[in-house]
């Protein structure tokens, strides 16, 4: 969903007014943790941004789901794991000069 007024977006917290006003597309990125053994599960990115790099799991948030629901769905689709809850840890914003839509 591309919408500068998406209520799920946290772009309102961006200090730079020009970037805050840009349309944002919501994405998730989740890092499954094994706290007992101090390990994190990563997957090999097969296409798109970050191709052939290890990263967490995630993707686009659908229009009818919350950010948490999107993260849980993407983790299941990409790894087969089923999370019961997620803890938000941060926010990444990507801005590209040749694309007026920010990735949040």
């Amino acid at each position: 969903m591309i919408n500068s007024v998406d209520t799920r977006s946290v772009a309102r917290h961006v200090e730079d007014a020009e970037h805050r006003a840009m349309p944002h597309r919501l994405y998730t990125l989740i890092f499954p943790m094994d706290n007992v053994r101090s390990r994190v599960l990563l997957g090999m990115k097969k296409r798109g941004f970050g191709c052939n790099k290890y990263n967490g799991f995630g993707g686009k948030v659908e229009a009818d789901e919350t950010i948490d629901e999107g993260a849980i769905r993407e983790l299941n689709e990409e790894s087969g794991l089923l999370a019961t809850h997620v803890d938000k840890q941060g926010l990444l914003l990507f801005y590209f000069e040749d694309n007026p839509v920010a990735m949040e």
Side-chain angles (χ1 to χ4, degrees), residues 69-97:
E69 290 168 342
I72 291 170
R73 176 186 53 75
E74 287 286 348
L75 175 65
N76 184 253
E77 288 176 2
E78 295 178 4
S79 72
L81 296 174
L82 183 58
T84 56
H85 75 282
V86 294
D87 296 317
K88 185 174 179 179
Q89 298 297 314
L91 169 69
L92 298 172
L93 295 172
F94 293 93
Y95 300 100
F96 299 94
E97 291 181 4

Side-chain angles (χ1 to χ4, degrees), residues 19-81:
H19 287 115
R20 185 174 51 245
M22 292 176 69
H24 286 71
R25 181 175 288 146
L26 298 177
Y27 291 86
T28 65
L29 183 60
I30 187 168
F31 294 94
M33 301 293 298
D34 179 347
N35 293 327
V36 173
R37 294 186 284 183
S38 298
R39 294 183 179 179
V40 61
L41 178 65
L42 300 175
M44 175 64 76
K45 186 87 164 67
K46 295 182 179 178
R47 59 188 156 95
F49 185 66
C51 184
N52 296 319
K53 307 280 187 216
Y54 285 103
N55 202 355
F57 302 91
K60 295 181 185 112
V61 177
E62 302 294 335
D64 63 341
E65 63 189 1
T66 66
I67 294 172
D68 288 359
E69 290 168 342
I72 291 170
R73 176 186 53 75
E74 287 286 348
L75 175 65
N76 184 253
E77 288 176 2
E78 295 178 4
S79 72
L81 296 174

